Amino acid sequence: MGELKLMKGNEALAEAAIRAGADGYFGYPITPQSEVIEYLMAEKPFDRTGMVVLQAESEVASINMLYGGGGSGKKVMTSSSSPGISLMQEGISYLAGGEVPCVIANVVRGGPGLGDIQPAQSDYFQSVKGGGHGDYRLPCLAPASVQEMSDFVPVAFDLAFKYRTPVLIIADGLIGQMMEKVELFDQMPRLTDQEVIEKYPWATTGKPKGKERRILTSLDLDPHKLEKHNQHLHAKYNEIKENEVRYELIDTDDADYLFVAYGSSARICQKSVKLAREKGIKVGLLRIISLWPFASDVIKEFTAKGIKGFLSVEMSMGQMVEDIQLAVQGKTKVDHFGRVGGVIHSPEEVVEALEQKIIGG
Amino acid sequence: MAELSVQDIIKPENLVYEKTKLMTDKTLSYCPGCGHGTAHRLTMEVIEELGKENDTIGIAPVGCSVLAYEFMNIDMQQAAHGRAPAHATAVKRLWPNKVVFTYQGDGDLAAIGTAETIHACNRGEQIVIIFINNGIYGMTGGQMAPTTLPEMKTSTSPFGRDVASMGYPLKITELISNLPGVQYVSRQAVHSPAAARKAKRAIKKAFQNQIDNKPGLSFIEIVSNCNSGWKMTPNDSNEWMEENMFPYYPLGDIKVDGKLIEK
Amino acid sequence: MTEEIIIAGFGGQGVLSMGKILAYSGIMQEQEVSWMPSYGPEMRGGTANVTVIVSDERISSPTLTYYDTAIILNQQSMDKFEETVKPGGVLLYDPNGISKHPSRTDITIYKIEGAKIAADMGNTKIFNMVVLGAYLQIKPIVKLENVIKGLKKSLPERYHKLIPLNEDAITQGMKNVITT
Ligand SMILES: Cc1ncc(C[n+]2csc(CCOP(=O)(O)OP(=O)(O)O)c2C)c(N)n1
Ligand code: SF4
């Protein structure tokens, strides 16, 4: 068994970056995730593994540092919270276009604008439907515990390099600030420079003798070439959709109804499932882990099996619910419930919403 | 002298000080001992004394003074982190007869907003920038700022600012003073009555420049404390500031009437 | 076993660290734990609270509406959290500074003179450990030896010399808790 610790989600994310063998972290302070860079600065990862940590002058700088680092084949990561992630969108679009691997964690807070610093899940659209300009998608993992804040970091790096794409980790203020027991995975080695050169022939590490030089760009002035590039990206996204859908089923075997939720809302829904079942309501939980690619097929199957309704529970005014509706195609009841602006719904409220909107509605 | 009762003290004829009506009655959200409150008050007193309360638009930053609009009783906008000079640029250009200023911290002005700061200065925008330099990110809990002193401990420089890997404290005020678009630059403090009086004169001159239609931007840096972020009592923080901040950020005028002051 | 606790008081009373030690103790005996503090502007008013859950099972919601136990250390928290104790649950409080005492009859109410005991012991900082002791007397969900292990884990090395004092404080708390 790995080392057991009591940690904040933000700290677990930071420790996991070191242990996953990351080469660099670049970030700018913002609540509720400043503990990530604070933890890294205190841990001196440069002494532990040689990992570079830098406080950038802004999120615009951080995200473009990822282009530089990821583009030269290194495992790089940043983290921020909603306003900072908005600022990164230009860079994220360039990273997607240039097919640069990197990991970006968003510890979401209430918005829009400066909003507040309490937990929210209102960046779903931004995360899965673009955010930046152009036709791109990002794999997006949503941890629901401090353990997963740690576990998802190496998974995210693997996806990033396997598919040459930026990968998002979408948490929220609750997951970031909460402490839970974590079993830390063992230190993974950082790749040596030579290994990077051999493993990632696309990376700009200096033109190899007798071979083509590498260019990382998202620019193509020839529309036909750019069209081809988009088709190539699309094929890659289809492959990701094929292979990387992640979800968890909780108490769904005999369920008449399903909560669909991710992150903290999924945790709250687990309690709601218990409370509802005490009342005799057979409800289960489909916990979405990859926000993109989305578990549409699972929802389709449940619909076909005759589930009587889905309640999407999100700390937003209703974003993920649209993806559920797309999968359900009007064949059964779909509704949304969620508190917003940093207010966290209670397990009881969620049960009430199920009763009113789905069972009674 | 006979002792004054409370009733005597509050009689209008015994009034020795009155809060400017351009400060609202809202309780300041600043930590006790923080310089932000004094800097707010001086700025508002100047606007009041210049008779511009109905013609001034202020831009609040992101930082501890994000709520400046709650306290400054004039029309205000609240900008995204670092972008206040961009707001001010547009307001002033579209309302050239109005008085426009920004109020920004060091993270806001000299880290994330460096581009906006330098370019507003370089374009010679006819605005006033009030820049509070406390050498730390107060709002987010004491992280390193561009102006953090060498060896100074913050939550993101827990072993002290190592200039070799984290860079040197950025003297942004000296930097922008070299730009021809800048009319007036002064560095002040507000930690003592004498310093506050001087700071007020500088702030007044800055606004007067704008009212007199002098070309270019007027920039006032206020070297201030962040007792919470520095983890000191207010008194200790002021002493520490005098001993450590002032040598690095010396007080006084840097540029007057478009001319650098010879040192 | 699942125990859902709210600890609430002023910032500086050691509310968060008390919760943390409890959580660490749970880990020492291989239980699942969660610790969710109030954070941000909520804290500005000077109040602090933390939800701690210790369980043999995977923990569901880390934020809750109702609790098995409320540990209440100031009046504001009493006003807010007395109502949130589940019927049959436990309310433990320090009467010091409380003007409106709890009045519910469907829960068990305990008192601990934590502030006074800590002052008598000559160190007000161990106040939270006295209260923790009182709680563990009522609900021995974690063993004392695991609390000590938890303390060791959560305190930096240089404070380890203070562990015996903390242990005394816990014992004093255990001895002095009373039902009302
Ligand atoms: C895009 C973005 N990134 C980060 C933040 C978080 N943030 C808020 S205030 C602040 C720094 C404030 O420091 P400073 O400007 O020095 O002002 P002070 O609080 O010290 O007065 C940061 C990083 C934010 N609000 N928006
Ligand atoms: S944190 Fe620092 S800058 Fe902010 S109000 Fe407190 S003392 Fe002032």
Side-chain angles (χ1 to χ4, degrees):
Chain A
M1 194 152 90
E3 193 182 340
L4 282 185
K5 278 210 155 182
L6 182 69
M7 287 182 124
K8 281 193 175 192
N10 288 332
E11 295 167 345
L13 184 88
E15 177 62 32
I18 305 174
R19 290 181 182 236
D23 299 299
Y25 172 92
F26 306 90
Y28 186 76
I30 183 167
T31 317
Q33 68 75 56
S34 296
E35 292 86 357
V36 179
I37 187 168
E38 289 173 349
Y39 182 93
L40 286 171
M41 286 295 188
E43 269 302 308
K44 295 192 184 174
F46 194 78
D47 294 346
R48 269 173 67 178
T49 66
M51 175 184 176
V52 169
V53 181
L54 182 68
Q55 180 177 331
E57 70 273 26
S58 70
E59 293 85 354
V60 178
S62 317
I63 197 72
N64 289 291
M65 288 171 184
L66 292 200
Y67 201 126
S72 57
K74 297 280 182 172
K75 267 188 179 174
V76 288
M77 173 170 160
T78 187
S79 62
S80 185
S81 177
S82 310
I85 298 286
S86 287
L87 212 44
M88 290 182 190
Q89 292 303 328
E90 177 197 46
I92 292 176
S93 167
Y94 281 61
L95 286 158
E99 301 193 78
V100 176
C102 61
V103 174
I104 303 155
N106 181 2
V107 183
V108 181
R109 65 188 227 182
L114 203 48
D116 63 17
I117 59 177
Q118 303 304 318
Q121 296 181 313
S122 39
D123 297 356
Y124 179 90
F125 282 154
Q126 184 196 54
S127 312
V128 307
K129 312 263 179 210
H133 59 282
D135 219 339
Y136 74 91
R137 297 287 183 155
L138 301 179
C140 175
L141 301 171
S145 63
V146 176
Q147 183 66 53
E148 288 184 344
M149 280 294 255
S150 164
D151 294 347
F152 285 5
V153 172
V155 176
F157 273 124
D158 286 349
L159 288 173
F161 279 89
K162 181 169 174 198
Y163 297 104
R164 274 188 66 187
T165 175
V167 174
L168 296 180
I169 294 178
I170 300 294
D172 60 63
L174 198 152
I175 304 280
Q177 294 297 323
M178 158 174 77
M179 287 209 274
E180 287 186 313
K181 179 169 85 174
V182 234
E183 185 181 344
L184 295 169
F185 55 88
D186 292 338
Q187 179 67 48
M188 304 175 183
R190 284 180 52 230
L191 295 185
T192 63
D193 289 352
Q194 196 51 41
E195 283 168 336
V196 170
I197 289 169
E198 280 160 19
K199 243 182 134 168
Y200 309 126
W202 46 263
T204 56
T205 53
K207 178 178 175 301
K209 275 206 186 91
K211 286 199 187 146
E212 281 286 300
R213 72 196 175 95
R214 282 74 53 103
I215 300 171
L216 282 178
T217 176
S218 59
L219 171 77
D220 218 326
L221 291 175
D222 177 342
H224 296 287
K225 281 196 185 156
L226 186 57
E227 184 182 43
K228 272 227 154 60
H229 181 57
N230 269 283
Q231 286 162 346
H232 157 73
L233 290 178
H234 191 69
K236 173 168 93 176
Y237 298 144
N238 278 341
E239 201 186 323
I240 298 174
K241 272 192 193 167
E242 202 58 45
N243 301 325
E244 308 297 347
V245 176
R246 288 170 165 79
Y247 60 91
E248 184 188 2
L249 298 177
I250 296 170
D251 289 338
T252 55
D253 287 349
D254 62 342
D256 293 329
Y257 309 96
L258 284 189
F259 293 126
V260 187
Y262 66 94
S264 333
S265 280
R267 292 289 294 273
I268 293 162
C269 282
Q270 281 174 51
K271 184 94 184 173
S272 308
V273 167
K274 279 188 206 153
L275 295 175
R277 282 183 177 262
E278 279 166 19
K279 288 183 160 184
I281 304 169
K282 283 191 197 156
V283 60
L285 168 65
L286 165 58
R287 174 165 85 95
I288 302 292
I289 296 174
S290 56
L291 303 190
W292 190 86
F294 190 67
S296 308
D297 289 344
V298 182
I299 291 176
K300 279 185 192 137
E301 279 165 33
F302 274 110
T303 311
K305 275 196 288 188
I307 218 86
K308 292 186 197 152
F310 295 93
L311 184 68
S312 182
V313 182
E314 325 161 48
M315 290 187 269
S316 77
M317 291 307 290
Q319 300 190 11
M320 184 174 69
V321 65
E322 293 189 5
D323 283 332
I324 303 170
Q325 281 162 339
L326 272 177
V328 168
Q329 301 271 338
K331 291 185 185 124
T332 185
K333 246 186 253 175
V334 178
D335 213 327
H336 156 269
F337 174 73
R339 302 294 301 268
V340 295
V343 182
I344 305 171
H345 26 249
S346 71
E348 291 80 5
E349 280 177 319
V350 172
V351 177
E352 219 169 279
L354 176 74
E355 288 175 312
Q356 282 170 8
K357 295 187 161 194
I358 301 291
I359 302 175
Chain B
M1 204 175 88
E3 266 188 35
L4 290 175
S5 71
V6 175
Q7 290 312 314
D8 293 329
I9 292 170
I10 60 173
K11 278 185 189 152
E13 62 268 28
N14 288 332
L15 213 64
V16 288
Y17 168 76
E18 194 173 19
K19 185 179 71 128
T20 162
K21 65 177 194 299
L22 296 195
M23 287 293 283
T24 64
D25 287 333
K26 267 227 137 155
T27 309
L28 292 175
S29 55
Y30 303 110
C31 308
C34 173
H36 268 305
T38 315
H40 277 28
R41 175 171 62 80
L42 298 180
T43 309
M44 287 301 101
E45 283 176 0
V46 165
I47 306 280
E48 184 178 23
E49 285 163 23
L50 293 171
K52 290 292 178 189
E53 68 168 290
N54 304 113
D55 292 305
T56 302
I57 298 101
I59 318 291
V62 174
C64 281
S65 46
V66 64
L67 294 177
Y69 57 82
E70 295 265 2
F71 315 124
M72 297 181 173
N73 203 358
I74 53 167
D75 275 5
M76 301 277 297
Q77 296 184 6
Q78 193 272 313
H81 197 18
R83 316 299 174 216
H87 283 235
T89 295
V91 176
K92 183 67 186 183
R93 288 195 179 220
L94 297 168
W95 294 91
N97 297 326
K98 301 288 177 183
V99 176
V100 181
F101 75 97
T102 72
Y103 183 103
Q104 302 174 259
D106 43 67
D108 194 80
L109 178 139
I112 196 166
T114 315
E116 281 76 5
T117 304
I118 289 188
H119 287 284
C121 288
N122 192 49
R123 288 189 304 263
E125 299 297 343
Q126 243 183 17
I127 59 172
V128 172
I129 291 182
I130 311 275
F131 164 40
I132 309 295
N133 175 9
N134 57 15
I136 207 159
Y137 289 5
M139 170 82 157
T140 38
Q143 294 84 6
M144 185 180 72
T147 49
T148 296
L149 296 180
E151 306 304 326
M152 186 172 160
K153 285 186 180 158
T154 70
S155 69
T156 52
S157 58
F159 308 102
R161 180 179 191 153
D162 164 32
V163 291
S165 66
M166 298 168 175
Y168 293 84
L170 183 58
K171 293 190 177 182
I172 187 121
T173 305
E174 275 78 359
L175 212 90
I176 57 97
S177 68
N178 287 304
L179 299 172
V182 176
Q183 157 78 224
Y184 174 55
V185 180
S186 185
R187 184 184 279 125
Q188 299 292 335
V190 295
H191 65 307
S192 70
R197 271 193 297 274
K198 273 197 198 157
K200 185 168 168 185
R201 276 199 293 277
I203 294 170
K204 198 160 196 173
K205 185 171 171 64
F207 279 100
Q208 194 64 55
N209 286 341
Q210 190 179 150
I211 293 164
D212 294 347
N213 216 5
K214 286 199 185 161
L217 187 145
S218 295
F219 189 103
I220 308 293
E221 171 178 339
I222 293 172
V223 182
S224 189
N225 63 341
C226 172
N227 39 293
S228 286
W230 299 354
K231 304 200 185 331
M232 293 177 197
T233 64
N235 276 341
D236 288 352
S237 74
N238 284 334
E239 269 171 34
W240 190 89
M241 175 170 71
E242 285 180 359
E243 278 165 29
N244 299 279
M245 297 280 280
F246 291 175
Y248 201 92
Y249 301 111
L251 305 188
D253 285 344
I254 296 172
K255 190 178 195 180
V256 179
D257 293 334
K259 282 189 205 68
L260 286 169
I261 305 283
E262 301 286 338
K263 283 269 151 77
Chain C
M1 189 284 298
T2 298
E3 167 78 352
E4 298 172 332
I5 313 155
I6 179 90
I7 311 172
F10 288 120
Q13 276 180 321
V15 165
L16 301 189
S17 63
M18 175 176 161
K20 199 168 152 182
I21 290 160
L22 193 55
Y24 245 123
S25 319
I27 293 184
M28 293 302 129
Q29 49 191 50
E30 290 177 19
Q31 282 166 310
E32 299 299 321
V33 297
S34 79
W35 174 97
M36 181 62 208
S38 54
Y39 73 96
E42 253 189 274
M43 313 266 289
R44 284 271 162 88
T47 60
N49 69 64
V50 60
T51 302
V52 177
I53 306 174
V54 181
S55 177
D56 298 327
E57 296 160 35
R58 174 172 166 181
I59 291 169
S60 60
S61 179
T63 58
L64 298 163
T65 326
Y66 302 104
Y67 307 90
D68 299 312
T69 301
I71 301 176
I72 295 179
L73 304 173
N74 67 5
Q75 186 62 49
Q76 279 125 299
S77 304
M78 186 66 83
D79 297 342
K80 195 166 165 192
F81 292 111
E82 181 183 352
E83 290 315 311
T84 66
V85 181
K86 293 179 196 167
V90 163
L91 189 159
L92 167 66
Y93 76 110
D94 184 334
N96 179 40
I98 298 287
S99 48
K100 240 182 90 219
H101 290 259
S103 56
R104 277 179 63 181
T105 50
D106 59 339
I107 58 177
T108 320
I109 296 170
Y110 295 88
K111 264 201 268 195
I112 178 73
E113 292 274 2
K116 191 170 166 296
I117 293 168
D120 290 348
M121 290 179 72
N123 189 339
T124 50
K125 286 213 173 109
I126 52 170
F127 161 70
N128 59 348
M129 292 295 104
V130 178
V131 178
L132 179 63
Y135 168 71
L136 291 176
Q137 179 66 28
I138 305 162
K139 291 210 170 172
I141 57 162
V142 287
K143 291 203 198 101
L144 187 57
E145 60 188 80
N146 289 324
V147 178
I148 305 303
K149 276 196 210 158
L151 267 171
K152 276 200 185 122
K153 270 267 189 182
S154 60
L155 285 177
E157 197 87 46
R158 62 179 188 282
Y159 293 126
H160 281 191
K161 57 178 191 294
L162 295 176
I163 288 177
L165 178 66
N166 280 280
E167 199 173 345
D168 285 351
I170 293 171
T171 320
Q172 283 304 318
M174 288 179 156
K175 278 192 201 147
N176 287 294
V177 62
I178 49 170
T179 12
T180 60

